[in-house]
Amino acid sequence: MGGTTRRGFLRAMTGGAAASAAAGEAVAQEQQTIDMTDALVYEPAEATVAPGTTVVWENVGTVGHSVTAYEDEIPEEAEFFASGGPFDGEDAARQAYPDQGDIGGGETYEYTFETEGEFGYFCIPHESAGMVGTITVGAGGGEGDGAAVPSIPNSAKTIGVATVSAMASVLLLVYFFLKYGGDYGLD
Ligand SMILES: [Cu+2]
């Protein structure tokens, strides 16, 4: 009986640790998803991310799209990127479409941004319809680096320990007062 309970407890502890580890990985691996819709838009069209973030474009409709960088609208030190690539540049990507670079319904394209700066991109078949977007890569982007988050539980813990210590001291005083305090009157 006791053994079963202990095993169950250990299993619960192990499961909790595994869940915590999985949550930690999800936080560490930064990702931003941008939808491509049949309304011929990137949603959101403008996104700000931290360096190292993987941006995933997902075609949530049925019309094919591309994700193609504007050669003149990315930082000089950054590599040209485009779905269906690698290509030498924007012209090569345009010429290859739609044999290469088409992202069909339900498909995705992803690119990891390391260089800081602004990256303008467009959809080859829908550029004239205004299907363009911007990714801004900066140290302030993303939500992964909240330095204030761990300090809140730590200070809460400190306050908790202090409170428990204070309460224990008071209880101890009350205990001794009740136990020995009354003796003075009986003498
Ligand atoms: Cu498009």
Side-chain angles (χ1 to χ4, degrees):
M1 206 54 180
T4 306
T5 306
R6 192 154 52 230
R7 269 199 300 278
F9 176 70
L10 283 172
R11 220 174 10 245
M13 291 289 285
T14 311
S20 300
E25 279 165 30
V27 169
Q29 186 189 22
E30 296 201 37
Q31 197 173 301
Q32 163 85 46
T33 303
I34 295 174
D35 289 347
M36 299 184 288
T37 79
D38 284 353
L40 312 184
V41 291
Y42 295 108
E43 184 69 49
E46 290 178 11
T48 300
V49 301
T53 301
T54 297
V55 177
V56 179
W57 284 268
E58 182 176 5
N59 188 340
V60 296
T62 55
V63 180
H65 303 283
S66 84
V67 171
T68 311
Y70 277 119
E71 215 168 80
D72 297 337
E73 294 184 22
I74 61 174
E76 260 180 49
E77 61 272 33
E79 266 181 46
F80 175 81
F81 68 94
S83 55
F87 296 109
D88 287 338
E90 193 182 316
D91 288 342
R94 285 181 190 274
Q95 280 158 27
Y97 192 88
D99 293 334
Q100 293 172 57
D102 185 64
I103 305 161
E107 294 179 355
T108 60
Y109 166 71
E110 60 180 63
Y111 185 77
T112 301
F113 291 86
E114 303 289 356
T115 308
E116 289 191 28
E118 271 198 11
F119 296 76
Y121 66 94
F122 66 102
C123 170
I124 294 172
H126 307 126
E127 182 186 18
S128 58
M131 189 166 177
V132 297
T134 308
I135 301 290
T136 303
V137 181
E143 307 146 71
D145 61 335
V149 175
S151 76
I152 293 165
N154 280 347
S155 58
K157 210 182 294 172
T158 306
I159 292 164
V161 168
T163 306
V164 168
S165 301
M167 283 174 68
S169 302
V170 169
L171 283 173
L172 211 61
L173 282 171
V174 168
Y175 171 78
F176 279 107
F177 181 78
L178 289 176
K179 188 160 193 217
Y180 304 110
D183 290 348
Y184 298 114
L186 290 173
D187 285 335

